[in-house]
Amino acid sequence: MTEPTEAAELTSLDGNPFVTKSPLAFSLPPFGEIRPEHYGPAFNTGMEQHRAEVEAVAASAEPPTFENTLVALERSGQLLSRASATFFGTSSALATSEVQAIQEEYAPKLTAHSDAILLDSRLYERIRAVRDDTAQMGALDPESRHLVERYLTEFTVAGAGLDDAAKERLRELNAALATLTTRFEQRLLADANDLAVLVDDVTELDGLTAGEMSAAGEAAREHGHDGSYLISLVLPTNHPHLASLTNRALRRRLHDAQRARGSRGNEHDTSALVLEIVRLRAERARLLGYATHAAAALADSTAGSPERVRERLAPMARAAAANARKEQAALEAEAGNSIEAHDWAFYSNRVRATTYHVDTAAMRPYFEAERVLRDGIFFAAERLYGLTFHDRPDLPGYHPDVRVFEVREDGAPIGLYLLDLYTRDTKKGGAWMTSLVHQSSLLDEPNAVVTNNLNVPKPAKGEPTLLTYDEVNTFFHEFGHALHGLLARVTYPHFAGTRVFRDFVEYPSQVNEMWMLWPEVLANYAIHHETGEPMPKDLVDSLIASRSWGEGFATSEYLAAALLDQAWHALDVDQAASVTDVGAFERAALEEAALANPLVPPRYSSTYFAHAFAYAYDAQYYAYIWSEVLDADTVAWFTENGGLTRENGDRYRRYVIGIGGAADPLASYREFRGRDADPRHLLERRGLL
Ligand SMILES: [Zn+2]
């Protein structure tokens, strides 16, 4: 950096709240002072400082030690970390055009910044020297030793060990893949908009709720079709309206539109992108020393290799396919004739209602949001972990809707929990957890600050917020991530909270879902908001009885996508070059997986498989069911051991959610359970035995 630039940037950081650590309790970002224009200068100077700190480590003349290399790297880049954690921890909940513009500008710069560090051979050599120094390694505590191993693996899979020519090609491939995956996402979005289903006659919408009809009317008006109805497409193959639309022709139109995305040979077609992405990923894998992209991606996961993923998923696929065929017979009996793919959800819903008498709408009056939160979610956390939650209206959230709770364990403060429940125009869809402050004793940050976001429609003023069954389930799920972030106690920021493997991170959140219907918890929170009556037992019983209904279909469509993702990324360079027909490859892969049932298409087909070709879940879409094996085995453990007790919570915390990424997760699991996870519990849950 030249002198004048530095001077200019220092000036531009005057009054920038990211320059120093937040003075607020728990280092909560000072949202009252943060404005969008603070991020650019904080990112720029933060990257510059980080580069200088990393350069000092890389260029050091001292022999490499754990302190002067690993610890120094862990301490580096704190301004950048503060700004990034705050920005990316709130950007999806505050997605204004200003925030999106910042994201578009800085996301590639930040990626290039971290790539430059990961590809620095000098750092790589120093880390390797520490790892190879048995005397040094032997003197380290287990978390520190694990840190060395993790750094070495992460640098290796990123390509730090390559020669300069190979690194040059690697950078080209990374840049080309970034462009291609962005293009995939853009074309998919454009084609989905293009394929949205326009309906002129409102009677065709029979089966939809009044709210869904008016949303379709509004969408049509926005697109210049006043008086008509427009059904927007959704990402997975099966559109939710297929379960309720009574008009079969419209169901067919909607399903065909969903299936056609990216494959129509027009300017939005994604087939060529799929082939090119697969080829470049295979080439990158070979450069990194792996036979296939799946092998490269899974080298840094709890699964370890594509073979282990296939071994676990393949038998499930055969059982799920058989279950789906049994369900199909029940659906055809209900329909009185043979059915097609676009009829599946409709008749499945009917069977659920007629056979199991499930009425999820009748449950809502018992799911008042504040009760669910305090008497359900917080109640379970108190019983398990001794946690209590206290309103802190004096601390600022990033939006007026955000509520701030101080978390105490047996009375002592241990962090903050921010809850952002309601949907709004500037919030992206879905639900998620983020960490605004990462716990790390090295950086003198004793506690974490975490957020939960949901997208619950805001009721009219004075009306209670009544949640749906799915929303309550999601709430418990996201709170499981929050607990993971709040309860982990680690030394190094690299291991804070939810900084664990992708095929592990959904496990603790899935486990927390078990408390939603746990009798003691349910009885405590599911109280009718007007009458004060507890939820009738038959409502709960019918719901529990119906749980395995539809699992054949759900598991089949999920596994079809997961195995399709594996198949594309199991190609070596030569094989990838020889594939020219996306549809034919997909059919063969599903055939091979025993999941080629036209009535149960994969949850995502290749031309609209954004997880595999845009969202960085490439070769890792299996992670959901992989985590669920641990989840189901843990639910069984809690159930066998008396359920909701502090003793159980303490044990689960000691080996699982309390350790963040600081130890090998499967080894810790083995200590927790006294054995490896038994997949039988998952097979049982999904009816696959
Ligand atoms: Zn999750």
Side-chain angles (χ1 to χ4, degrees):
M1 275 283 143
T2 57
E3 295 273 316
T5 319
E6 269 180 6
E9 278 174 1
L10 284 177
T11 319
S12 70
L13 279 183
D14 277 354
N16 191 306
F18 292 113
V19 172
T20 51
K21 198 163 153 172
S22 168
L24 297 180
F26 304 94
S27 304
L28 175 71
F31 289 114
E33 293 164 42
I34 296 170
R35 294 190 305 277
E37 58 268 32
H38 290 134
Y39 285 111
F43 284 147
N44 287 332
T45 311
M47 284 190 278
E48 194 184 316
Q49 279 181 5
H50 194 202
R51 259 193 303 276
E53 289 159 353
V54 170
E55 180 58 28
V57 176
S60 168
E62 288 173 37
T65 64
F66 181 74
E67 275 298 318
N68 73 19
T69 304
L70 283 301
V71 173
L73 288 173
E74 284 292 280
R75 285 187 192 281
S76 68
Q78 293 188 35
L79 166 59
L80 182 59
S81 302
R82 275 196 294 275
S84 301
T86 308
F87 182 78
F88 292 103
T90 56
S91 58
S92 296
L94 290 175
T96 60
S97 52
E98 209 175 359
V99 165
Q100 284 179 306
I102 296 169
Q103 184 152 5
E104 252 163 62
E105 182 180 351
Y106 283 95
K109 289 183 186 174
L110 292 166
T111 305
H113 173 76
S114 60
D115 278 357
I117 295 171
L118 286 167
L119 287 179
D120 192 319
S121 325
R122 298 166 305 168
L123 292 176
Y124 186 57
E125 290 313 320
R126 291 183 74 86
I127 295 162
R128 197 154 58 178
V130 174
R131 208 282 309 263
D132 291 347
D133 182 343
T134 41
Q136 248 201 94
M137 284 294 274
L140 295 174
D141 63 88
E143 182 180 343
S144 302
R145 249 194 327 269
H146 191 57
L147 187 73
V148 181
E149 298 290 354
R150 291 298 306 137
Y151 261 77
L152 192 65
T153 305
E154 287 167 20
F155 273 71
T156 305
V157 298
L162 302 180
D163 64 32
D164 288 345
K167 272 187 196 162
E168 189 49 42
R169 180 63 187 147
L170 185 65
R171 282 196 195 88
E172 282 170 19
L173 289 169
N174 284 341
L177 281 164
T179 307
L180 290 167
T181 52
T182 306
R183 203 170 289 161
F184 181 96
E185 199 178 350
Q186 288 165 345
R187 285 193 193 174
L188 174 54
L189 183 64
D191 211 31
N193 287 334
D194 205 37
L195 280 161
V197 174
L198 192 64
V199 177
D200 293 326
D201 182 354
V202 70
T203 61
E204 285 186 53
L205 299 180
D206 182 53
L208 298 189
T209 66
E212 287 164 346
M213 284 190 201
S214 74
E218 184 54 40
R221 196 160 27 253
E222 274 171 24
H223 290 82
H225 304 287
D226 210 351
S228 296
Y229 302 86
L230 190 68
I231 303 177
S232 311
L233 303 191
V234 298
L235 199 53
T237 295
N238 272 283
H239 196 289
H241 288 355
L242 292 175
S244 43
L245 284 169
T246 60
N247 184 308
R248 192 177 192 203
L250 182 57
R251 287 204 303 266
R252 181 194 300 276
R253 264 182 80 199
L254 181 56
H255 196 254
D256 287 350
Q258 287 275 116
R259 296 286 285 143
R261 285 170 295 160
S263 66
R264 294 186 294 160
N266 59 9
E267 72 273 27
H268 309 314
D269 196 294
T270 57
S271 312
L273 295 175
V274 167
L275 296 175
E276 187 64 9
I277 289 169
V278 166
R279 284 175 196 144
L280 296 189
R281 281 177 179 163
E283 185 190 340
R284 184 173 61 183
R286 185 172 64 182
L287 206 57
L288 291 168
Y290 297 94
T292 67
H293 177 64
L298 297 187
D300 199 24
S301 69
T302 73
S305 73
E307 290 72 26
R308 289 201 55 209
V309 171
R310 279 175 177 277
E311 271 164 29
R312 180 155 284 175
L313 267 51
M316 287 186 195
R318 282 188 294 276
N323 287 352
R325 282 192 294 274
K326 279 184 228 150
E327 285 171 11
Q328 184 179 336
L331 300 183
E332 294 188 330
E334 175 73 28
N337 50 271
S338 66
I339 60 164
E340 292 181 74
H342 52 267
D343 301 319
W344 192 291
F346 182 76
Y347 289 105
S348 179
N349 216 29
R350 272 211 186 165
V351 171
R352 194 188 301 274
T354 55
T355 311
Y356 300 97
H357 312 287
V358 171
D359 184 1
T360 47
M363 300 185 122
R364 286 188 71 179
Y366 299 91
F367 291 151
E368 193 272 311
E370 194 65 13
R371 274 213 125 103
V372 171
L373 176 67
R374 292 193 183 268
D375 301 336
I377 290 170
F378 287 171
F379 170 76
E382 179 169 11
R383 289 297 168 93
L384 289 165
Y385 310 111
L387 304 182
T388 53
F389 298 80
H390 308 266
D391 284 289
R392 286 291 305 262
D394 56 310
L395 292 173
Y398 53 83
H399 183 276
D401 278 356
V402 175
R403 296 167 66 188
V404 181
F405 296 92
E406 180 174 308
V407 188
R408 296 187 197 147
E409 181 188 347
D410 299 324
I414 62 145
L416 292 177
Y417 171 66
L418 276 64
L419 176 62
D420 189 353
L421 188 66
Y422 294 113
T423 192
R424 57 177 168 268
D425 288 350
T426 54
K427 197 193 270 195
K428 292 187 183 166
W432 60 89
M433 168 270 186
T434 67
S435 293
L436 296 174
V437 176
H438 295 280
Q439 182 276 336
S440 147
S441 61
L442 180 78
L443 301 186
D444 203 19
E445 207 63 85
N447 299 302
V449 175
V450 304
T451 76
N452 267 174
N453 262 277
L454 273 79
N455 263 291
V456 175
K458 208 174 193 170
K461 233 184 163 46
E463 294 289 313
T465 302
L466 301 182
L467 303 178
T468 64
Y469 176 85
D470 286 343
E471 284 165 347
V472 177
N473 193 65
T474 301
F475 208 167
F476 274 86
H477 175 97
E478 296 307 329
F479 192 76
H481 286 303
L483 287 171
H484 198 187
L486 284 164
L487 293 179
R489 288 292 171 270
V490 300
T491 304
Y492 304 106
H494 200 77
F495 295 142
T498 52
R499 287 177 165 169
V500 296
F501 292 107
R502 163 153 303 161
D503 63 359
F504 189 79
V505 73
E506 291 300 325
Y507 152 52
S509 51
Q510 289 172 350
V511 168
N512 205 56
E513 294 173 30
M514 75 177 284
W515 307 115
M516 173 185 175
L517 295 182
W518 192 260
E520 194 184 345
V521 180
L522 189 74
N524 201 55
Y525 78 87
I527 311 282
H528 196 285
H529 73 106
E530 281 168 332
T531 66
E533 293 290 316
M535 184 181 278
K537 196 173 174 307
D538 58 329
L539 257 184
V540 185
D541 290 348
S542 64
L543 192 87
I544 290 171
S546 76
R547 266 173 156 187
S548 62
W549 171 249
E551 278 297 337
F553 179 89
T555 308
S556 295
E557 68 154 11
Y558 167 78
L559 288 174
L563 288 165
L564 180 59
D565 171 41
Q566 289 297 311
W568 276 118
H569 296 115
L571 300 175
D572 65 25
V573 171
D574 296 331
Q575 290 164 330
S578 71
V579 178
T580 51
D581 183 336
V582 171
F585 180 85
E586 179 167 321
R587 282 189 294 278
L590 295 176
E591 213 45 82
E592 158 106 28
L595 287 166
N597 181 350
L599 267 70
V600 188
R603 189 168 163 81
Y604 306 98
S605 261
S606 306
T607 57
Y608 54 90
F609 201 165
H611 285 78
F613 299 112
Y615 295 167
Y617 267 81
D618 37 293
Q620 301 215 58
Y621 190 64
Y622 75 94
Y624 295 94
I625 209 158
W626 191 264
S627 307
E628 206 183 328
V629 171
L630 298 174
D631 161 31
D633 192 52
T634 300
V635 168
W637 178 83
F638 271 109
T639 308
E640 289 156 12
N641 287 282
L644 192 72
T645 67
R646 181 71 186 266
E647 197 189 345
N648 286 346
D650 281 347
R651 183 172 178 86
Y652 180 61
R653 179 179 179 173
R654 181 167 353 122
Y655 293 107
V656 181
I657 52 173
I659 64 169
D664 171 27
L666 295 188
S668 308
Y669 189 85
R670 210 168 293 130
E671 285 185 69
F672 161 65
R673 197 62 163 109
R675 57 162 172 75
D676 288 327
D678 180 353
R680 192 173 49 91
H681 296 292
L682 171 81
L683 300 179
E684 222 164 58
R685 177 193 287 185
R686 287 184 172 255
L688 298 173
L689 282 177

Short mmCIF file of all heavy atoms in Angstrom, two decimals, residues 72 138 323 554 574:
data_model
loop_
_atom_site.label_atom_id
_atom_site.label_comp_id
_atom_site.label_asym_id
_atom_site.label_seq_id
_atom_site.Cartn_x
_atom_site.Cartn_y
_atom_site.Cartn_z
N ALA A 72 -0.83 -16.67 15.90
CA ALA A 72 -0.77 -15.36 15.23
C ALA A 72 -1.86 -15.27 14.16
O ALA A 72 -2.51 -14.23 14.01
CB ALA A 72 0.61 -15.16 14.61
N GLY A 138 3.52 -32.67 20.61
CA GLY A 138 3.29 -33.43 21.84
C GLY A 138 3.07 -32.55 23.05
O GLY A 138 2.40 -32.94 24.01
N ASN A 323 -41.00 -48.27 -0.34
CA ASN A 323 -42.06 -47.60 0.43
C ASN A 323 -42.89 -46.67 -0.44
O ASN A 323 -44.10 -46.57 -0.29
CB ASN A 323 -41.45 -46.79 1.58
CG ASN A 323 -40.94 -47.69 2.68
OD1 ASN A 323 -41.17 -48.89 2.66
ND2 ASN A 323 -40.26 -47.09 3.65
N ALA A 554 -41.00 -38.69 0.53
CA ALA A 554 -40.06 -37.63 0.96
C ALA A 554 -38.62 -38.14 0.94
O ALA A 554 -37.71 -37.45 0.47
CB ALA A 554 -40.44 -37.14 2.35
N ASP A 574 -11.88 -37.43 -17.59
CA ASP A 574 -12.24 -38.03 -18.87
C ASP A 574 -13.73 -38.35 -18.94
O ASP A 574 -14.39 -38.12 -19.96
CB ASP A 574 -11.43 -39.31 -19.11
CG ASP A 574 -9.94 -39.01 -19.23
OD1 ASP A 574 -9.62 -37.88 -19.67
OD2 ASP A 574 -9.13 -39.87 -18.85
#
